[in-house]
Structure formats: structure tokens, C-alpha cells
Amino acid sequence: MGKKLLTENINVPGIETFEVYRKNGGYASVEKALKTMTPDEVTEEVKKSGLRGRGGAGFPAGMKWSFLDRKSEKPRYLVCNADESEPGTFKDRYLMEKMPHLLVEGMITGSYALGAKTSYIYIRGEYMYIVRILEKAIDEAYAAGFLGQNILGTGYSLDLYVHPGAGAYICGEETALLESLEGKRGNPRLKPPFPAVAGLYAAPTVVNNVETIAAVVPIVNLGGDEYAKTGIGKSTGTKLISASGHINKPGIYEIELGLPVEEFIYSDEYCGGIWKGRKMKAVVAGGSSVPILPADLILKTAKGEQRLMTYESLADGGFVSGTMLGSGGFIVYDETACIVRNLWTFARFYHHESCGQCSPCREGTGWMEKVLHRIEHGHGHSGDIDLLVDVAKKIEGNTICPLGDAAAWPVASAIRHFREEFEYHVKYPEKVKN
Amino acid sequence: MLTLEEKQEIERAIHQVPLRKAACIEALKVVQEHRRWVSDESLKDVAAFMDMSPAELDSVATFYNLIFRRPVGRHIILVCDSISCWVMGYEKIQAHLSQKLNIGFGETTLDGRYTMLPNPCLGTCDHAPAFMIDHDLYRDVTTDQLDAILEKYT
Ligand SMILES: NC(=O)C1=CN([C@@H]2O[C@H](COP(=O)(O)OP(=O)(O)OC[C@H]3O[C@@H](n4cnc5c(N)ncnc54)[C@H](O)[C@@H]3O)[C@@H](O)[C@H]2O)C=CC1
Ligand SMILES: Cc1cc2nc3c(=O)[nH]c(=O)nc-3n(C[C@H](O)[C@H](O)[C@H](O)COP(=O)(O)O)c2cc1C
Ligand code: SF4
Ligand code: FES
């Protein structure tokens, strides 16, 4: 069994209540930080831990915290990104539903480190039932003196609010999220300035993913150096992987970073192999915005090395033969899956969710959807495949936020690795017409 | 006209933010919770209450999928049409719902009972295919369960 730092107690009956959570060692990080450490010391431990953002980009959390402009006269904010809408990703929902106090605890310890007096959890509008779970946990924490004025008599005060969104994938992008939190359309802002300098109401703000904030709890409890002993190289700690698709055991797994991909897919401790005794065709390893890889390349790099569940190993080979750990949304396809139809599903999604600010993204996603629709439905033209590659190239790197890239990468990688399927669709329209 | 109850609920949301305007999405949701959708009339009332122009508020309202600026049915079906649900066969579920209710995405049944909308990943991909009706989540759905589920909402 791998080491668990976040979900060890997740199956303890009643762990969603303050009482049981506290009895099982909950809120120790708040006591330790507020009573025995300065805010900068807490930030230092997070730096030492090597923890990288679990929202997908993998930016070192401690570094981001240290970039927070502490000289500004303005208030500082910690905002938790609980917008989780990356298709294939459901770890944040699972953590919040089962262990709401872990997030609340991380928010208090984190807010203390950053000197925030008001903090927000921005959660997607579809998760209203989770909003209620979180609000109950927050009420319990207030009642127990862990939130509000003069927490545990230390003189530190914090208010924590849950803020539900209203249905927009783009609001997971941190600057769109901040716009939405300010009551505006969720249009991403140009970066820099990064939120650490000018975020919510132009004040210094740290935006972190749910899992990142939860990880602050074991980091403070164990100490950053001890936390960093789990994992490999620059991929320290554990990571929640959302596993779904054609596998025997879909679900959430907390893995030690460094686990071989092959073991993750085939061992009974994790995914339990491909369902119905079939063969694996492809994997999307990090949520829908990362490149898709065929079975051989997900198990081994192009150099023939065993692929590991780490930021570095999954990215080995760049966009030619590699992918990304991303948000940890691990989707497995068996040999019966049609890559063309799959890609059309993606394209429709990105077209619908584009905020429309940049023309390469707005027009490009629409174009890709249209072309994929006609290929999939047996009306493809001979130049369509190259047209798709070309449109994807024109979007990449030419937009305000990475949604454009996220729409382009799956198209480019699917065609790179499964070109013959696209060609088959164009060549034998009568066989695919539906 | 906003009711007293609506105004109180909106005030509660305003209390959580430093600027009145910042609570405008919440305000729209409050009104929608009471009236099912946001009519032009309601939009004007909310705008006035939030010290905004109706045009400014409308540009916010139309941005979000879950703010309805057109009449909708008594119950909203959100069908996940994202990757894992596609892999696990949501298209069959949607076809069955469409046939049974005689509506496609974006449409409302003649009796005003249901509106069906596509929705990106509902965050329950390990139990795909999935859909929501109002705030209830249904997972691992098979076509033979659909009739019984639909019966529950009147
Ligand atoms: N979890 C989910 O549901 C989804 C996750 N994603 C992921 O999001 C990723 C892209 O996210 P972005 O925020 O656009 O990436 P990014 O690389 O621009 O930023 C990552 C984080 O580091 C911070 N940062 C970077 N450079 C900084 C600097 N010099 N100073 C201060 N802070 C700095 C940013 O503010 C941000 O919080 C993708 O890789 C994708 O995997 C995408 C869609 C959905
Ligand atoms: C289109 C788009 C959607 C995103 N959605 C999410 C999301 O739902 N949850 C999340 O934590 N990060 C999301 N991100 C990444 C955030 O912009 C940001 O990097 C993250 O919240 C930072 O937290 P972390 O450093 O703890 O990972 C998204 C990025 C993009 C471009
Ligand atoms: S890349 Fe797309 S989603 Fe991002 S800001 Fe531009 S138009 Fe909006
Ligand atoms: S893809 Fe349907 S719930 Fe995630």
C-alpha cells in the first residue's frame, strides 16, 4: 500500500463532522501554525515541501506564496479554486464531499501564512450539494473557535466564505475566477500581473486548487522536509488521481508520485486493468486538456524507459511523444473507442466554453468542431485532416489564456497518434455515416 | 418588484463581499430560485437594487450557463456530455430521454415539466454516465432506470 497523506482517514465514519475529524488529529496544523510559528515560517515549510500546484499547471506553491506582495497596503486574499470542471477530473469534489474539514483546515493555516483576513472558496454552481456540506463544516469551525475573531486566543482573525459560481468552465482559470468573484463576466485577464501582485479587487491574492490547500495540512504537521521525502525528484508528495473510463475499478486513488503508470493501470490496488478483458487503446492522463497518448507511449517513453506518474516522466518527449500530469484526470480507452468521435466531443466542449475574447480561440474552436463533425458523420473532405492540424497550430500560443491551447493540444495529438483513423473516416464515409 | 424575502436574501450575499455589485450573480440566482428564470422585468428590478444598469447586469447574466434568461421547465435536467460519460455511453441515455420527453437539448416539454441541457463534466466520472435533475445527482445510469427517475418530479 502506498503512503496516504490526505485520505488516510477518509473512511472513518463521521469524518465529515468536526467532532470526529478533530478526534482523529484534525486542526493540529492550525494549532501548530498559529501558536508556534510565524506566517513566514509556515510559508518556508511549504517551500521546503516542494509541493506543486495540483490544479494542473504544477507551479511550486511555496514560491507562489512567497511572491505575494506583502508590502501592499491592500488586504490580502487566499482564494481556493474549487471550480473543478476539467472533464475527467473529480478529486476535488470527492475531497470536499468526504472531508470538508480538511479543506477548511488548510484554508485557515494557509490564510494565516499569507496574512489574509478574508478568504473565499469559489466552487462551481453545479456543486450546490457540496456547498451545503462546506457551509456546515465552516459553521462548526466558527463554533469551535477555529474561525472568526481571535482564533484560539492567538489574536489572528479570519472570515471564510463559500462562493458558488453559475456554470462556466472558464471560471476555473484563475483570473476568470477572480472576475466572477467580483460579480463580472468570467473573462480571463492578461497575465502578468499575476494574482499574487494584483488579484481580487486588484489586491495581492493567492489562488490555489483544493488539493494544494489540503496538502498544506500534512506539510505543516510533518514539516516540509519530511513531506518532501515522499515522491521522486521535483514531484514530491502524493497526488489524487481521478480514474475513469474502460477500467475495472474507476475511482479516486491517492498515489505516491513516482508510481509506474503500468502498475497504476493494471494492479488490483488501483485501476485493476482494462474491463471486459479487452486491450487498452489510449489514455488521457491529466484531464481533457492534455495530449492523448496511445497505449505503448503511456507505458513507456519514446526512449523505452518506464513511464512514471510524475510531472517530469509524463512530460518526457514533449508534445511529440509525451503528455502532462495536469489535474490528474486519468481516462482510459479500450480498443473499441473511436478516437474521431471522442475528439469531436472535446471540440464541441471547448467551442461552447470559449469565452470569445480572442478570435483564434473563438473562431478556431468553432472551426475544429465543424470539421470534426463532418469527418465523424461521413462528410469529410480530403484536406480536412491537415486543415485541423493547421487550425490547431494557429490557436496555440496566440490567446490570452490557455483554454485555446487546451483545445488545440488534444486535436494535434490525436491526429499525430491516430491519423489512420481519421483517414479511414474520410476515405470510407459510408462505413462511418450515422 | 422584488419581494421582501428576495431582498433579504440578496442583502445576505452582499454582506459577504466588499462591493455591492460583486454580489450581482448571487442576486440573479436568488431571483431565479424564486421565479425559475430571470425575465427582462426581474432583470431591471435586480439591476436597480444592485445600483447597476440593466445592460451591465444582462452582460453578466448571459455569460453563465446556469442563469436562465428564457423561461424553463419546472425541473432542469443537466446531462453530462463530457469525455468519461461519452466513453461510458451517455449518448444512449440522452437519446432515451429525448425520445421519452420528446425534446432535444435546450428545449422544454410541452407540459412545462422538464428542460434538458447539456453540461460539462459533473465531476463524477467514476460513475459515468451521469446527469442531474435540479440539485439531485444520478450516477451509473442505465436506460431502464430512466422512467422511474423521471416519475419522481412533477
Ligand atoms: N483542475 C481543472 O479542472 C483544470 C485545470 N487546468 C489546468 O490549468 C493549467 C493552466 O493553468 P494556468 O493558471 O493558466 O497556468 P499558469 O502556468 O499561468 O499558472 C499556474 C499558477 O502559477 C502562478 N504563477 C505562474 N507564474 C507566476 C509568477 N511569475 N508569479 C506569481 N505567480 C505565478 C499563476 O498565478 C497560477 O496560479 C493547465 O496546465 C491545465 O492542466 C485546466 C482546465 C481545468
Ligand atoms: C481553462 C482553464 C480552466 C481551469 N480550471 C481549473 C479548475 O477548475 N480548478 C483549478 O484548480 N485550476 C484550474 N485551472 C488552473 C488555474 O488557472 C490555476 O493555475 C490554479 O487554480 C492554481 O492553483 P494551484 O497552483 O494550486 O494548482 C484552469 C486553467 C484554465 C486555463
Ligand atoms: S483563449 Fe479562449 S477562453 Fe481564453 S480568453 Fe481567449 S477566447 Fe477566452
Ligand atoms: S465526464 Fe461526465 S461526470 Fe465527468
Side-chain angles (χ1 to χ4, degrees), chain A residues 87-88 90 93 120 124 126-129 161 164-167 170 180 182-187 201 244 246 250-251 275 333 338 341-342 345-346 348-349 353, chain B residues 16-19 22 24-26 29 59-60 62-67 81-84 86-88 90-91 119-126 132 135 137 139:
Chain A
F90 45 101
R93 195 258 308 149
Y120 296 96
R124 57 190 297 215
E126 290 90 342
Y127 284 1
M128 279 317 286
Y129 63 108
Y161 299 110
I170 192 61
S180 178
E182 292 179 15
K184 301 180 192 150
R185 294 167 68 91
N187 286 341
Y201 305 108
S244 68
H246 295 150
W275 76 345
Y333 300 70
C338 168
R341 195 169 184 88
N342 165 57
T345 311
F346 273 85
R348 210 174 49 204
F349 166 72
E353 299 302 328
Chain B
Q16 299 193 359
V17 289
L19 269 180
C24 73
I25 300 167
E26 273 309 293
K29 282 205 213 159
S59 91
V60 176
T62 51
F63 187 84
Y64 295 97
N65 297 332
L66 299 178
I67 302 288
D81 66 346
S82 286
I83 174 164
S84 308
W86 172 76
V87 169
M88 302 306 284
Y90 92 83
E91 285 169 331
N119 203 86
C121 180
L122 291 169
T124 186
C125 330
D126 50 342
M132 292 184 85
H135 294 313
L137 183 59
R139 324 179 188 198

Side-chain angles (χ1 to χ4, degrees), chain A residues 37 42 77 79 90 118 185 200 211 285 376 415:
Chain A
M37 298 166 80
V42 179
Y77 295 105
V79 175
F90 45 101
T118 309
R185 294 167 68 91
L200 189 60
E211 188 188 347
E376 164 61 15
I415 294 176

Side-chain angles (χ1 to χ4, degrees), chain A residues 344-362:
Chain A
W344 171 51
T345 311
F346 273 85
R348 210 174 49 204
F349 166 72
Y350 285 110
H351 180 215
H352 186 256
E353 299 302 328
S354 165
C355 84
Q357 277 191 104
C358 332
S359 42
C361 171
R362 183 185 60 233

Side-chain angles (χ1 to χ4, degrees), chain A residues 52-59 61 64 81-86 92 169-175 191 207-210 212-213 401-403 406:
Chain A
R52 294 170 64 175
R54 302 298 194 223
F59 192 82
K64 182 152 73 179
N81 188 344
D83 194 57
E84 186 170 67
S85 351
E86 176 82 332
D92 297 342
Y169 168 75
I170 192 61
C171 289
E173 194 283 327
E174 57 179 6
T175 60
K191 294 195 280 195
V207 181
N208 271 136
N209 175 256
V210 171
T212 314
I213 291 171
C401 90
L403 184 135

